[in-house]
Amino acid sequence: MTANPTTRRRAVRAAALAGLLAAAGAGTAYAYWGTAGTGTGSAAAATMQAVTVDALVAGDSPKAALVPGGTADVVLRLTNPNPYAVQVYSVTANGAATADAAHPGCTTTGVSFVGSAAPLSPATFVPANSSTLLTLPGSAAMDTTSLAACQGATFRLPVTAEVRK
């Protein structure tokens, strides 16, 4: 029995198409598993910008006045210029306390900064691109060696704040 010429053409086309698809699939599989590549990459960590610390900025006020033999609160304004929040980990003294220029006779201040335990508790965060006030209760101390010329003085307490991302 001889096949119809139309049926025979269809069978040949189907066989050719099947062979073509099988060959294409094998080529794709080979290309997928036989591919190799090389390249390089790099990354850099950004540098944290310095967080600034100002004590007793206009408008801020301590809750207690400093007197010989006593302590008072220290109020700090921390400004974070970074695009992410930072945690204030610790605040420590960074030099001797000095009196304001209106009290030149206050050469022995008797004033010191009483550092805080690290990490600060409760944890204090400064939001990205903003500032916050931090009150450290009882962190300024004045001993009894303070001169009478120091009455009414405002003291500069140099501190260092350690911040972490």
Side-chain angles (χ1 to χ4, degrees):
M1 175 177 220
T2 57
N4 181 343
T6 304
T7 306
R8 185 177 170 142
R9 268 185 269 148
R10 282 186 189 160
V12 170
R13 283 185 189 164
L17 182 59
L20 182 62
L21 289 175
T28 301
Y30 174 77
Y32 178 77
W33 294 109
T35 301
T38 61
T40 60
S42 65
T47 302
M48 179 188 280
Q49 296 180 46
V51 173
T52 58
V53 180
D54 296 308
L56 297 175
V57 175
D60 305 336
S61 61
K63 294 180 181 177
L66 191 58
V67 296
T71 62
D73 298 344
V74 172
V75 179
L76 304 175
R77 179 179 302 278
L78 295 109
T79 303
N80 177 16
N82 294 293
Y84 46 82
V86 295
Q87 177 184 5
V88 182
Y89 187 75
S90 66
V91 180
T92 55
N94 187 17
T98 55
D100 61 57
H103 295 81
C106 182
T107 55
T108 301
T109 67
V111 175
S112 61
F113 179 77
V114 181
S116 56
L120 287 182
S121 181
T124 301
F125 293 87
V126 184
N129 300 308
S130 65
S131 53
T132 192
L133 290 179
L134 173 61
T135 300
L136 302 171
S139 290
M142 179 183 261
D143 64 30
T144 56
T145 64
S146 180
L147 298 176
C150 296
Q151 288 182 0
T154 300
F155 299 96
R156 180 178 177 271
L157 286 170
V159 298
T160 298
E162 180 183 346
V163 298
R164 298 179 177 184
K165 183 176 177 195

